Amino acid sequence: MNTPALRHDWTTDEILRLYALPFADLMFAAQQVHRAHFSANQVQLSQLLSIKTGACAEDCSYCPQSARYDTGLEREKLMPVDEVRREARAAKESGAQRYCLGAAWRSPSDKDLDVVCEMVGAIKQEGLEACVTLGMLTGPQAKRLKAAGLDYYNHNIDTSPEFYKEIITTRTFDDRLDTLAHVRDAGLHVCCGGIVGMGEERRDRAEMIRVLSSMTPHPESVPVNRLVKVKGTPLAQVDDVDDFEFVRTIAVARIVLPETMVRLSAGREAMSESLQALCFLAGANSIFYGEKLLTTTNPALSRDKRLMAKLGIEPLGATPPVFDGAHGHAHAHGDRGRAVDETSPA
Ligand code: SAM
Ligand code: DTB
Ligand code: SF4
């Protein structure tokens, strides 16, 4: 198949035209792009750990960790490095390829960053890729993380620039872009995506994807979260986004960001197996694996293993293999697991 060159000049209307395709046509287009760039039956596994929980100064309306909302969450101080090392080792044993640390900070202090840099070193020693999400960074802080061995920095734009103002007031969309520029300049891989189901419109979802596509290069990883509605947060009562609209968002992201790993992120626990399967068909090729996200729950390992076995999906680059069943053998692959010849037998 002819693969169009990577584009950074998508317009919102062009993206909306993809959204408006008949479902089967959109899925077919997404599958073609997916199979041209990736092995279609491999999914990358990342595991998350909250290293500093709750009491956050920001007012993100979706987030259970903001100090402004009473969500009953227990606050926890910065975790000791040894505990992170132990947890990372266990994640590696259960098959994760990347270990991701999240901290409920507006931005880290330089002293906090000393500790996080040690944590990154520990994760790398355990043979895992390392990702952290710590809030806003300065240029020198991003460089320190790179020097410590960090592979990815996660910082989401969350939604469209217009809708963003309805969701967060304590920092701007441009603040986010500044941090992302520091991350890119430091030579780190960028993990940047957003949340679907916060009451935004389709145009906002399209705008979010357009902003991601305007980044040069495209983010290596784009998490698409479906809002986890947490009691006590301002978004606890918002209407659910339609299942097909969510799948369409994955498919459109896959087409517009052909070389990016699209992660089916928060919200999987509330999804049926069939809905998750549609998301994989639409081109999602990465998930959070393990029973906890940061503060909310994720599907049990046994449930995920069963789903992957049923779908014949293999974990990307995980050793030892974690999935049983006919298709459950793991292969060592490169960063993006690009398919050399997707017609060759598995
Ligand atoms: N405090 C840092 C920050 O905001 O940059 C890092 C951690 S923060 C929890 C990381 C991301 O998690 C947010 O940008 C948001 O996209 C996602 N997130 C938080 N709460 C969520 C929820 N209830 N449902 C879905 N995604 C959520
Ligand atoms: C991302 O986009 N999703 C993850 C990760 N980046 C850090 C976080 C999801 C958090 C869901 C709510 C919680 O567990 O607190
Ligand atoms: Fe704080 Fe991050 Fe939650 Fe916003 S998303 S309240 S910055 S932890």
Side-chain angles (χ1 to χ4, degrees), residues 48 64-65 133 154 156 223 225 228 265-266 288 293-296:
L48 273 171
Q65 304 201 67
T133 179
N154 167 247
N156 291 340
N225 297 280
V228 180
S265 303
F288 285 120
L293 293 164
L294 290 174
T295 67
T296 65

Side-chain angles (χ1 to χ4, degrees), residues 5-25:
L6 289 188
R7 284 183 50 195
H8 301 275
D9 61 350
W10 284 88
T11 65
T12 306
D13 283 343
E14 274 181 299
I15 295 176
L16 282 169
R17 279 199 289 279
L18 290 176
Y19 261 106
L21 285 171
F23 189 72
D25 293 349

Side-chain angles (χ1 to χ4, degrees), residues 213-243:
S213 76
S214 73
M215 297 177 185
T216 318
H218 290 165
E220 282 79 7
S221 166
V222 167
V224 181
N225 297 280
R226 189 155 91 154
L227 178 70
V228 180
K229 294 194 258 182
V230 181
K231 206 165 155 235
T233 61
L235 295 182
Q237 310 293 339
V238 79
D239 284 343
D240 281 338
V241 64
D242 176 74
D243 285 354

Side-chain angles (χ1 to χ4, degrees), residues 34 88 103 114 232 261 287 306:
H34 193 188
D114 292 340
M261 302 293 292
I287 56 170
R306 197 170 57 232

Side-chain angles (χ1 to χ4, degrees), residues 57-283:
E58 302 289 281
D59 70 350
C60 314
S61 310
Y62 48 75
C63 186
Q65 304 201 67
S66 167
R68 301 177 192 227
Y69 320 129
D70 182 10
T71 60
L73 186 69
E74 220 163 284
R75 302 165 169 203
E76 282 164 37
K77 290 211 181 77
L78 189 56
M79 197 178 263
V81 177
D82 279 349
E83 201 172 328
V84 173
R85 186 190 300 278
R86 272 200 304 279
E87 295 290 336
R89 190 168 297 166
K92 170 92 179 170
E93 275 159 18
S94 71
Q97 182 203 25
R98 186 174 311 153
Y99 206 59
C100 311
L101 307 179
W105 286 322
R106 173 178 163 83
S107 53
S109 70
D110 287 337
K111 218 172 111 224
D112 292 329
L113 209 67
D114 292 340
V115 183
V116 175
C117 286
E118 272 187 62
M119 293 173 177
V120 168
I123 293 169
K124 298 300 292 179
Q125 277 171 5
E126 296 304 320
L128 286 151
E129 291 179 342
C131 176
V132 299
T133 179
L134 315 170
M136 292 186 283
L137 291 185
T138 63
Q141 286 181 323
K143 291 195 174 76
R144 284 187 59 200
L145 286 166
K146 172 73 183 173
L150 187 70
D151 298 293
Y152 287 78
Y153 194 80
N154 167 247
H155 198 61
N156 291 340
I157 55 171
D158 279 346
T159 187
S160 68
E162 296 73 28
F163 194 68
Y164 182 95
K165 302 184 198 83
E166 317 272 316
I167 299 295
I168 301 150
T169 69
T170 49
R171 62 175 143 169
T172 65
F173 197 83
D174 283 344
D175 289 334
R176 303 236 178 191
L177 298 181
D178 287 346
T179 292
L180 289 162
H182 295 321
V183 168
R184 192 49 99 188
D185 287 348
L188 291 162
H189 293 315
V190 171
C191 173
C192 179
I195 308 177
V196 175
M198 299 192 291
E200 77 285 346
E201 289 178 1
R202 175 181 279 185
R203 176 167 280 277
D204 295 301
R205 296 186 275 275
E207 261 286 289
M208 175 176 86
I209 294 173
R210 185 195 62 73
V211 172
L212 294 170
S213 76
S214 73
M215 297 177 185
T216 318
H218 290 165
E220 282 79 7
S221 166
V222 167
V224 181
N225 297 280
R226 189 155 91 154
L227 178 70
V228 180
K229 294 194 258 182
V230 181
K231 206 165 155 235
T233 61
L235 295 182
Q237 310 293 339
V238 79
D239 284 343
D240 281 338
V241 64
D242 176 74
D243 285 354
F244 294 112
E245 182 69 12
F246 184 78
V247 178
R248 281 178 185 275
T249 301
I250 302 259
V252 171
R254 165 50 64 229
I255 294 167
V256 173
L257 305 162
E259 293 193 348
T260 292
M261 302 293 292
V262 176
R263 182 171 309 120
L264 175 57
S265 303
R268 277 198 311 116
E269 176 145 60
M271 292 179 199
S272 67
E273 289 194 335
S274 321
L275 177 55
Q276 293 182 64
L278 280 178
C279 293
F280 294 130
L281 282 176

